[in-house]
Amino acid sequence: MPGSDVFTGTLDLLILKALTWGPSHGYAIGRWIRETTRQALVIQEGALYPALHRLERKGFVSEEWGESESGRQAKYYKLTARGRSQLRTETTRWQSYADAVARALSVV
Amino acid sequence: MKKTFRLSDARPDAPRDVHDEIEFHLAMRTREFIEQGLAPDDARRAARASFGDVDTIESALRDDRDERQRRVRRREWWGSIWQDVRLSFRALRRRPLFALSTISALAVGIGAAGAVFAVINGVLLRPLPYGAPDRLAMLWLQAPANMGGGQWPLSAGFYDQIRRENRSFASLAALRSWPGTLGDFEVTERVSGARVTPSLFPTLGVGAMLGRTFTEAEGQAGGPRVAILAHALWQRRFGADPAVIGRAITLSGASFEVVGVMPPDFSFPRGAELMRGLQFAPNTEVWTPLVFSEQDLQNYGTQNLAAVGRLAVGTTPAQAHDDVDALVAATLEAAGSQLEVGNEVVLLRDQAARPVQRGLLLLLGAVVVVLLIACANVAALLSARVNERRRELAVRMALGARQSRVGRQLLTEMLVLATVGGVLGTLFTLGGTRLLLTLAPSDLPRTDDISVGLPVIAAIAVVALLCGLAFGTIAVRRVRASDAADALRTSTRSSDSRGVRTGRRILVTAQVALSVLLLVGAGLLLRSFGRLQDVRPGFVASDAVTGEVNMPIAGAFDIQRDSPGWARFFEAFVSRVAQLPGVVAAGAASAIPLTGSAEGSSFVIVGREPERGEDAPRTAYVVAQGDYFRAAGIALLQGRAFEARDVSDAPRVVIISKALADRNFKNENPIGRQIRAGFEFTPDGGPREIIGVVDDVKLGSLDGETGPTMYVPESQMPYPGLNLVVRTSEAPERILPSVRRELRAVNPAVALSDVRTLEDVLRQSLARQRFTLTLIVSFATAALLLAVLGLYGVIAMSVQARRHELGVRLALGARPASLVRLVLREGMQLTGAGVVLGLVGAFAVAGALRALLYGVSERDVGVFSVAALVVIGVALVASWVPARRASRGNPTEALRVD
């Protein structure tokens, strides 16, 4: 499949980011990631759910069953205050990481 | 996205939770593929493929959820327990009286039981501090039946023969006491010593902490003079200096080399565990080798050794007994003796426990009774309390609390009470044990081994836990769902169910019965003690002081050579003391009354030699010096006492006791008759002439027999150790410094030790009985108080319940006095039943006390009646108080229906 593997830490980051748009269920998060990265990032959908459960255990997201737009019952995840600050921290770290790699690679 | 959040029903079911979530995802993905044009089945398959390994992921998620749920549930459970505990404290704080009475009843009961158990654990249960102590046994000879059949020490001859020829002991050791002096310092100090064969330490399985124990060579005649120190002596007198090994110390005037120091807590032999007559000190401080000369090994008649052995593997004490029996019998037969001497093989732990076992078990019984009464009180208090809370509990259950939850809360409350009671009880046990040890008689064996250690605390914890669980179960049983509606319906006036009331009455009756039991026991012991104190000891205890004076003897001694020196010393010393101002009379004796230290021997009246096959009569004998009889206050009945003219080369004389005179010279005058004594040190001295008769003296204990006694003068049969007795015109202790000065002037190497007044001697001889008595009386009092409290509670509650009825009676014109009588009758019914039960029980078990009583029958009617009357009297007062309150009640208030 085209696109690169997504490391676990990055997946968590993407999920948190996805949730800043409001509570979503696992499927919607997966779609968001696919669409916003323009198919460049392909994730194993199965990896989403362990990641979501892990985030819930750490207290970055909270979960709740609700009614989806299709009428079915779905499990919604919501960003908590801790999750928000975690997102900020991780984003900053990711940026510095990415900048560092870019700088290294741009040396001719 | 449409967001709708509902108060969804909980999905505690982890598998469904995970499954539904994944299903939703797959369904949405499938729809996506369908929109892209795939057939439904293909779409579904594509969705699954795109997801990944659905089953593995699902089961992993499911396990994770399960684990988390389990952890949450556990935390919740602990949280609810903690909440129960907090609620319990809050509930108890709201009713401080209930909490206080319950906790104190439990604490006192548990504390007392704990203290007694600590003593019993130390004295009876704990293994002795030696290697494999269950294989250790003491070996004694046994006196013939016509001489009492008691334990006799071994003689060197018997010991050596048994040691060589036995087949049941892996090793055997002999020991005798040695009252030596340690003379390295300005003050010559008396030390408790023991002379032991080198085999003692291997037999006991204990090695030296520093240095070594004796070698076999050191136990042979002519071997070096060596000594081993006890840990306590090493710390006290030698500053715990490790360089003490190899140092020379002066024991009883001779130089000994220290070769070892024993570990702490080792002080075998401990006098309280062995025969009194052998005069071992309570703790041994120094050991030196016991050496037998050729002469000693031929001597089968002088019995002065204790022997301890390690039973061979697989040998029982009974087998060892039979083995030794055969050896002893063979020896006696070979010697042509008709004596039927047996032997006793007593396990070391039984030897220590034997004299006190009965008393201690009695104590345990008494304290268990007190504990039971305390528990009965708590049970009564508890049932009253649960009843009070019926409304509260019913309301709680109506609001949805589960019955089990409420029950658990009650159980927690009881456990909290029991825990607090147990902790307080442990404090009481610690204090109580220390108190018991200070009160305990000095001859209570193994006091060193008594401590509040792990076994005692564990026992306390178990008892407290059992109490808590028992009471909790009672409380929980009361809480039944059907009570709920009932409790809500009734008026605020709380009334007990019939069953509860009957239960409480039974409890009170039982309490009264048990306290009657204890009171009877206490009364019997009290009366017995009084009888003991009335016994005429035969001497005058007031205004006299005594102390031990022992000649320093470093090792084997030569009687011919040394004894004149002893006689001279005591003659000089005692006569100097007699001339001190304030001294009425001074004397000395080898054994003073009530100490059990007199030795015994046979004798023959000249002209009345025993027939062949008949055994010679036996007597105790005492060596006396100076004005002993006047000093001790022993009355001279006939003839004269010893005087200055009774020197060593003067005619040999003897003074006999009244018992000996009555038994052997019934209608004749004993003065002038001749006696040949079996205890003479120099056997060829010839018979002695009786010159006087003195009053009988209790040589052993006040409740012992008065046997015949002979007195010989020190000048004619010198003894190396005598007890000085000085009668003074003023306070006896004041004379002591002068006495010590005179002693130093005559011989500075001799020490005055074990100084006490004759009053002390008298009092200490009753120490054991006094100890038991004090404890039982305390327990009986505690039991009575608790029972009376219980009775008061029941009557008060009954009056409360009958308020309405009593009010009606008053309103209808009844006199207050008749109401009082009504309530009193109820109290007396309960008490009467309890007293009768108690008396019957006491009658049944009184036999257990028989061995401890003196001069009192265990079914003494007086004691039984007094005990019953005391209980009835006290119960009357306890019933009267609520009765009076009832009669004073306001009828209108009582009649008010609420």
Side-chain angles (χ1 to χ4, degrees):
Chain A
M1 282 211 164
S4 51
D5 275 350
V6 182
F7 297 112
T8 323
T10 324
L11 180 56
D12 288 358
L13 192 53
L14 291 173
I15 293 175
L16 287 176
K17 184 66 183 173
L19 287 176
T20 56
W21 297 99
S24 338
H25 46 67
Y27 173 74
I29 294 174
R31 265 192 90 145
W32 182 88
I33 294 178
R34 264 184 290 137
E35 281 160 15
T36 44
T37 63
R38 299 203 196 108
Q39 312 287 1
L41 281 181
V42 176
I43 50 163
Q44 278 285 47
E45 291 153 44
L48 264 179
Y49 289 94
L52 280 166
H53 283 214
R54 197 175 48 241
L55 285 172
E56 193 270 333
R57 189 172 50 223
K58 289 192 195 160
F60 298 144
V61 303
S62 60
E63 62 183 33
E64 196 168 17
W65 280 91
E67 193 181 303
S68 74
E69 52 281 356
S70 62
R72 289 176 70 127
Q73 285 284 315
K75 196 183 229 183
Y76 280 84
Y77 293 89
K78 180 173 166 188
L79 200 58
T80 63
R82 273 181 73 182
R84 241 175 250 284
S85 72
Q86 175 77 354
L87 175 60
R88 239 173 288 134
T89 321
E90 288 301 300
T91 311
T92 319
R93 270 208 0 217
W94 169 261
Q95 288 291 38
S96 16
Y97 167 75
D99 287 345
V101 173
R103 230 175 306 136
L105 289 177
S106 64
V107 172
V108 176
Chain B
M1 262 181 280
K2 183 166 119 181
K3 305 164 274 185
T4 330
F5 293 96
R6 275 207 295 244
L7 195 68
S8 54
D9 17 329
R11 264 180 227 235
D13 186 9
R16 276 221 68 85
D17 188 83
V18 166
H19 182 81
D20 289 350
E21 187 176 18
I22 293 181
E23 258 314 304
F24 175 80
H25 182 106
L26 291 174
M28 298 294 277
R29 203 75 170 94
T30 309
R31 208 171 56 177
E32 221 182 311
F33 280 121
I34 290 180
E35 280 166 14
Q36 288 175 12
L38 266 70
D41 287 336
D42 295 333
R44 178 99 184 144
R45 238 175 294 133
R48 283 185 79 93
S50 152
F51 190 89
D53 188 344
V54 181
D55 297 317
T56 315
I57 294 178
E58 188 173 336
S59 70
L61 286 175
R62 210 193 358 237
D63 291 339
D64 183 58
R65 283 272 143 155
D66 273 336
E67 172 62 36
R68 288 178 62 191
Q69 234 166 28
R70 238 175 300 154
R71 241 181 297 157
V72 167
R73 241 182 307 207
R74 222 177 310 158
R75 226 174 316 148
E76 268 177 14
W77 190 77
W78 280 114
S80 70
I81 297 276
W82 181 236
Q83 186 190 32
D84 277 349
V85 171
R86 264 184 312 150
L87 278 177
S88 307
F89 274 110
R90 205 150 25 121
L92 290 174
R93 242 204 308 268
R94 254 183 293 143
R95 291 300 224 138
L97 202 62
F98 165 75
L100 215 64
S101 11
T102 321
I103 291 176
S104 40
L106 279 176
V108 168
I110 292 178
V116 171
F117 181 69
V119 172
I120 288 189
N121 184 48
V123 175
L124 297 179
L125 296 177
R126 244 169 108 163
L128 288 162
Y130 315 121
D134 288 339
R135 306 297 306 162
L136 292 172
M138 300 292 299
L139 176 64
W140 306 100
L141 293 178
Q142 190 182 45
N146 65 351
M147 292 187 210
Q151 286 176 343
W152 265 0
L154 263 66
S155 56
F158 271 120
Y159 165 72
D160 190 54
Q161 183 198 3
I162 295 173
R163 184 183 58 87
R164 274 179 293 116
E165 296 177 16
N166 87 87
R167 274 173 301 178
S168 19
F169 288 100
S171 68
L172 202 58
L175 46 144
R176 53 184 302 210
S177 71
W178 182 44
T181 54
L182 180 61
D184 276 354
F185 313 96
E186 295 84 51
V187 183
T188 305
E189 178 196 346
R190 162 82 174 275
V191 286
S192 321
R195 278 206 283 247
V196 301
T197 57
S199 49
L200 177 73
F201 301 101
T203 304
L204 291 178
V206 181
M209 184 187 76
L210 278 182
R212 59 173 176 85
T213 59
F214 299 137
T215 62
E216 278 304 318
E218 285 158 351
Q220 308 294 343
R225 286 218 170 112
V226 288
I228 298 176
L229 303 177
H231 189 93
L233 181 68
W234 176 60
Q235 278 192 322
R236 203 182 66 230
R237 283 311 232 161
F238 297 90
D241 178 13
V244 75
I245 306 290
R247 194 167 131 182
I249 60 173
T250 312
L251 289 174
S252 294
S255 177
F256 284 76
E257 181 195 341
V258 177
V259 296
V261 176
M262 295 307 288
D265 298 333
F266 180 85
S267 58
F268 185 89
R270 297 192 288 200
E273 296 167 13
L274 301 171
M275 277 170 60
R276 263 214 295 187
L278 287 172
Q279 293 180 290
F280 286 110
N283 291 91
T284 303
E285 297 173 302
V286 67
W287 293 267
T288 55
L290 178 62
V291 176
F292 298 120
S293 66
E294 274 309 310
Q295 210 179 8
D296 291 328
L297 293 176
Q298 304 303 324
N299 185 343
Y300 282 77
T302 307
Q303 292 163 278
N304 52 14
L305 296 175
V308 62
R310 180 173 290 278
L311 289 169
V313 174
T315 314
T316 65
Q319 289 169 327
H321 168 93
D322 294 335
D323 185 19
V324 173
D325 222 12
L327 291 174
V328 169
T331 311
L332 288 172
E333 200 180 310
S337 163
Q338 305 280 14
L339 281 179
E340 303 241 327
V341 172
N343 77 87
E344 276 189 45
V345 176
V346 182
L347 285 177
L348 194 56
R349 64 155 190 265
D350 293 334
Q351 177 78 37
R354 209 193 271 198
V356 293
Q357 201 164 12
R358 187 175 284 263
L360 282 181
L361 289 179
L362 175 75
L363 228 54
L364 184 65
V367 92
V368 165
V369 166
V370 171
L371 183 61
L372 284 176
I373 296 184
C375 286
N377 259 8
V378 172
L381 280 167
L382 170 67
S383 81
R385 173 116 164 83
V386 167
N387 193 60
E388 272 170 18
R389 298 174 68 188
R390 271 168 84 228
R391 256 194 144 209
E392 171 210 334
L393 298 174
V395 167
R396 276 218 258 160
M397 284 198 283
L399 284 178
R402 276 201 314 277
Q403 191 181 322
S404 64
R405 186 77 172 71
V406 172
R408 199 182 73 187
Q409 210 258 302
L410 283 178
L411 185 66
T412 314
E413 209 176 295
M414 283 303 110
L415 283 173
V416 165
L417 270 177
T419 312
V420 176
V423 167
L424 261 181
T426 312
L427 290 176
F428 277 149
T429 299
L430 284 169
T433 311
R434 211 165 303 166
L435 189 69
L436 277 177
L437 284 176
T438 46
L439 286 178
S442 59
D443 57 348
L444 181 70
R446 299 191 67 183
T447 44
D448 295 339
D449 297 340
I450 295 176
S451 65
V452 179
L454 201 57
V456 178
I457 298 202
I460 290 179
V462 165
V463 168
L465 195 67
L466 283 178
C467 285
L469 284 176
F471 295 137
T473 320
I474 297 177
V476 166
R477 289 256 218 98
R478 294 283 171 72
V479 174
R480 280 177 313 149
S482 58
D483 278 346
D486 190 38
L488 288 170
R489 219 183 305 131
T490 20
S491 58
T492 53
R493 178 166 38 107
S494 57
S495 58
D496 297 321
S497 72
R498 188 88 193 236
V500 169
R501 244 180 312 169
T502 322
R504 231 177 289 150
R505 295 165 109 73
I506 293 181
L507 271 178
V508 167
T509 313
Q511 284 179 305
V512 171
L514 286 173
S515 49
V516 165
L517 193 69
L518 276 182
L519 273 176
V520 167
L524 287 172
L525 286 173
L526 201 61
R527 199 136 193 221
S528 163
F529 192 74
R531 290 274 157 80
L532 267 179
Q533 287 186 311
D534 285 341
V535 170
R536 279 181 57 247
F539 65 98
V540 176
S542 56
D543 299 320
V545 71
T546 177
E548 271 192 54
V549 180
N550 288 291
M551 296 300 303
I553 298 183
F557 52 85
D558 183 343
I559 296 235
Q560 311 285 46
R561 186 195 58 198
D562 298 334
S563 52
W566 303 338
R568 271 197 303 271
F569 163 77
F570 281 111
E571 155 68 37
F573 174 50
V574 173
S575 53
R576 284 174 85 127
V577 171
Q579 284 164 8
L580 287 174
V583 171
V584 170
S590 59
I592 53 172
L594 298 179
T595 52
S597 47
E599 296 174 5
S601 166
S602 60
F603 69 98
V604 170
I605 301 174
V606 169
R608 263 197 240 163
E609 276 77 10
E611 301 291 323
R612 176 152 284 270
E614 205 183 75
D615 286 317
R618 292 186 70 87
T619 176
Y621 67 89
V622 175
V623 176
Q625 166 71 41
D627 215 351
Y628 171 65
F629 299 112
R630 218 155 60 95
I634 301 174
L636 179 66
L637 301 176
Q638 261 190 285
R640 65 173 180 86
F642 299 129
E643 289 161 10
R645 58 171 141 139
D646 299 311
V647 289
S648 56
D649 41 6
R652 293 153 68 83
V653 292
V654 67
I655 294 178
I656 62 175
S657 71
K658 183 161 173 299
L660 204 157
D662 290 343
R663 243 179 257 191
N664 296 283
F665 300 99
K666 265 197 253 299
N667 294 316
E668 330 158 19
N669 186 0
I671 309 287
R673 302 293 296 266
Q674 308 258 332
I675 285 189
R676 225 194 304 272
F679 49 75
E680 302 282 1
F681 281 177
T682 44
D684 51 351
R688 291 180 178 272
E689 180 187 330
I690 300 177
I691 55 163
V693 179
V694 291
D695 201 2
D696 288 320
V697 168
K698 295 275 183 193
L699 286 174
S701 56
L702 281 176
D703 54 359
E705 277 194 26
T706 309
T709 313
M710 272 190 199
Y711 298 87
V712 288
E714 164 85 5
S715 52
Q716 294 183 353
M717 188 170 110
Y719 223 62
L722 295 181
N723 296 278
L724 179 72
V725 179
V726 183
R727 182 159 294 274
T728 58
S729 53
E730 21 172 84
E733 294 91 353
R734 295 232 229 124
I735 212 75
L736 288 172
S738 324
V739 169
R740 288 206 164 94
R741 206 182 42 231
E742 296 302 329
L743 180 58
R744 238 196 328 270
V746 178
N747 186 339
V750 179
L752 182 70
S753 59
D754 268 350
V755 174
R756 43 189 178 143
T757 63
L758 285 187
E759 297 266 24
D760 290 337
V761 172
L762 186 58
R763 223 193 47 241
Q764 281 163 17
S765 73
L766 288 176
R768 187 175 287 174
Q769 288 91 334
R770 192 180 294 116
F771 178 61
T772 315
L773 180 66
T774 312
L775 285 178
I776 299 283
V777 166
S778 324
F779 289 155
T781 315
L784 184 62
L785 276 174
L786 286 171
V788 157
L789 275 174
L791 181 68
Y792 171 81
V794 163
I795 301 292
M797 277 190 283
S798 159
V799 162
Q800 176 75 354
R802 291 167 78 178
R803 236 175 37 225
H804 193 83
E805 171 207 339
L806 295 173
V808 169
R809 284 184 192 248
L810 269 181
L812 289 178
R815 279 203 313 273
S818 70
L819 284 186
V820 170
R821 249 190 316 222
L822 203 67
V823 175
L824 275 184
R825 195 173 56 191
E826 188 180 344
M828 285 301 106
Q829 270 171 348
L830 284 176
T831 311
V835 166
V836 167
L837 256 174
L839 288 176
V840 167
F843 198 77
V845 301
L849 270 183
R850 199 178 317 153
L852 294 168
L853 296 178
Y854 176 81
V856 178
S857 149
E858 72 266 19
R859 306 250 161 102
D860 188 302
V861 174
V863 169
F864 274 68
S865 330
V866 169
L869 284 173
V870 166
V871 172
I872 291 177
V874 176
L876 208 69
V877 173
S879 314
W880 186 76
V881 174
R884 191 130 145 81
R885 225 174 330 154
S887 70
R888 293 249 201 86
N890 193 337
T892 15
E893 232 195 77
L895 285 172
R896 202 175 348 151
V897 176
D898 37 13

